[in-house]
Each structure stands twice: as C-alpha cells, then as structure tokens.
Amino acid sequence: MPVNYRFIMEYSYLKLYYLHMLAKKIIFYNQKGGVGKTTATLNLGSALAELGYKVLIIDFDAQRNLTAAISGNTNLPNIYEALIGKVDIKNTIQPTLIRQLYLIPGSIDLAGLSMELVDENKREFFLKKALEQVEGEFEYILVDCPPSLGLETMNALVWCEYVIVPLQCEYLAMEGLNLIMRTISNVKKKLNKEIKVLGILFTMYSKRAKLNQEVVEDISEFFPDLVFKTIIPRSIRLAEAPSHGLPINYYDKSNKGTRAFDELAKEVVNRV
Ligand SMILES: Nc1ncnc2c1ncn2[C@@H]1O[C@H](COP(=O)(O)OP(=O)(O)OP(=O)(O)O)[C@@H](O)[C@H]1O
Ligand SMILES: [Mg+2]
C-alpha cells in the first residue's frame, strides 16, 4: 500500500479511537430544588458503570449532596479548588466503591465561586477549560448542578453537550420546563452551540397520584420526542440509599428504582 494511503488509514483509525474516548458530557439541570437531580446523577452514573462504561460524576453544588451520598470523606481535593487553580483537576478524581465509577467532590466554597472569579474574564468557561484535561479518560461525565442559575450552572451549561432535565410531576411543572427550555435556547445562541436537551426525566412518580399522571400526559404530548420512556418511581429505598453511601443498584438490587435506572441507562446510551 502506498505510504500516504497507509498514513491516511492509520490517522483515521487514531481519530476514531480518540473520538470514541471523548466523554459524553451530560448535566442534570433544573433550577427548581428537590426534583431529583442528585439522585439521578448518582444512580444513572452507577447504572452506566454497571453496563461497563467508565463514568465520572461531578458534584457541582455547594450543598455537597452527591459527595455525601457516595463518599464520607469531606476533606478531599474538590472541583472548587480545581477551578480556582489550587489543585490539578486530575488530582481531584476519586475512585468510589463502585467499579468504573469516579467522583470529583463538591465543596461548600462553591457558593462563593462568583465572588472568587469576579475579576476574571470568561468566568463561564472555567469548568470547560478544567475538564478538557480529563475528558479523554472517561466515556461519560455527569455533572450535578445546584438548584439555581448562578455561575456554577452557567459553567455547566457552557461545558456540556447534553442536558437531562429531571422533573417532578407536580403543579407548575410545565411553567418551570418552559423557563428551562428558554434558558437552554439562549445558551445555545450565545455560549454553546453544541448544547441539546437529551431528555426530560420524570421523577418521584406515584401511580396513585392523579396529578402525577396528568402532568406526565401533558408534557409527553407537548414534548413527545424529548421525554424519556423511563419514569423514576417514588421509592423510599431511593431516598434511603445515600445514607448508606450507596447507589440504589448496590443498596437494593431488586428495587423498582434499580430497574428504572437500568432502563434509563440503556435509553441514554441509545440517545447519545
Ligand atoms: N424517586 C424518588 N423516590 C423517593 N425519594 C426521592 C426520589 N428521588 C429523590 N428523592 C428524595 O427527594 C429529595 C430530593 O432529591 P434530590 O436531592 O435528588 O433532588 P435535587 O434536585 O438534587 O435537590 P437540590 O435541588 O436541593 O439539589 C432527597 O431527599 C431524595 O432522597
Ligand atoms: Mg441536588
């Protein structure tokens, strides 16, 4: 084979390999509090790891709920320290008890991130810049956003490729969703043309609650291509698992929440 053909083939192969190793970049975003963002980040992360993918989950919330749910240690190098340049991002990556699942811990200092970066240019691009160095090492990176549209969330929106919107099936869900869609569309126009909604994820669903059913029907009718088929049921075991430091698939293998996150992981893999 002529040398230049061989070079082109090897180059294409390398490029394919490199693209394969570039992580799928997903954030969990809803500025409303308590809708299941952290629960979904942890349990989807663990379900993807169970499918054999190498997954990094990042706690980007000053409440540190994700960190608390999987790691008891509060003194680890964290995402805040990486963003302000105190530690190398590579040194913040922690293994967890779960094979193939890694964590970058959060910090209560994230609450002061906008003050810390007040004199910096392009403050919304700090996460993107920091994560560039580790994106080749994982197949999925999932970021748990705080319940606000502050600087952390803007950084996550600028960095990501995909947004999963966890939604509780309750009164005013549609209004909240419209606001989220508008924010994403503005970000797409001005800061990140790659961003897309991967799916709307109904959470804490109870078959017996008529309002839950109605909200699912209304939103599915309005956004038929966006809603995930998988609906996360309300389950006490899902709420208990974090206090044992475990994702649901390790805490209660036969729980309906485990089955739901397994199904969700397969849907996500098919959609990205
Ligand atoms: N499917 C579920 N069934 C029962 N409880 C759930 C379920 N999902 C989440 N919870 C509980 O509801 C509460 C809120 O969930 P979670 O912390 O995941 O929401 P969040 O959107 O991350 O909240 P915040 O906006 O404060 O970060 C937690 O106590 C969690 O354990
Ligand atoms: Mg949370």
Side-chain angles (χ1 to χ4, degrees), residues 38-65:
T38 304
T39 304
T41 311
L42 174 63
N43 292 302
L44 177 64
S46 185
L48 286 167
E50 181 89 15
L51 287 179
Y53 295 101
K54 189 174 177 194
V55 183
L56 174 64
I57 53 176
I58 302 178
D59 186 352
F60 210 25
D61 183 359
Q63 297 179 96
R64 293 184 73 260
N65 292 344

Side-chain angles (χ1 to χ4, degrees), residues 13 16 20-21 34 50 63 79 102 117 132 145 150 165 178 181 192 220 235 241 244 253 257:
Y13 178 75
L16 270 177
H20 172 72
M21 281 307 287
E50 181 89 15
Q63 297 179 96
I79 190 70
Y102 296 78
L117 300 183
E132 262 166 18
C145 291
V165 183
N178 285 332
M181 294 301 184
N192 175 7
S220 304
S235 153
H244 296 263
K253 189 97 195 133

Side-chain angles (χ1 to χ4, degrees), residues 30-40 61 63 65 144-147 166 203-205 232-240 242 261:
N30 185 334
Q31 52 223 43
K32 190 166 189 304
V35 296
K37 296 180 285 295
T38 304
T39 304
D61 183 359
Q63 297 179 96
N65 292 344
D144 181 22
C145 291
T203 63
M204 296 182 233
Y205 180 83
I232 308 301
R234 186 172 281 284
S235 153
I236 194 76
R237 305 290 273 170
L238 269 168
E240 281 169 9
F261 278 105

Side-chain angles (χ1 to χ4, degrees), residues 249-263:
N249 56 346
Y250 281 74
Y251 180 61
D252 187 347
K253 189 97 195 133
S254 61
N255 182 259
K256 58 186 174 182
T258 301
R259 288 198 298 280
F261 278 105
D262 283 351
E263 289 305 313

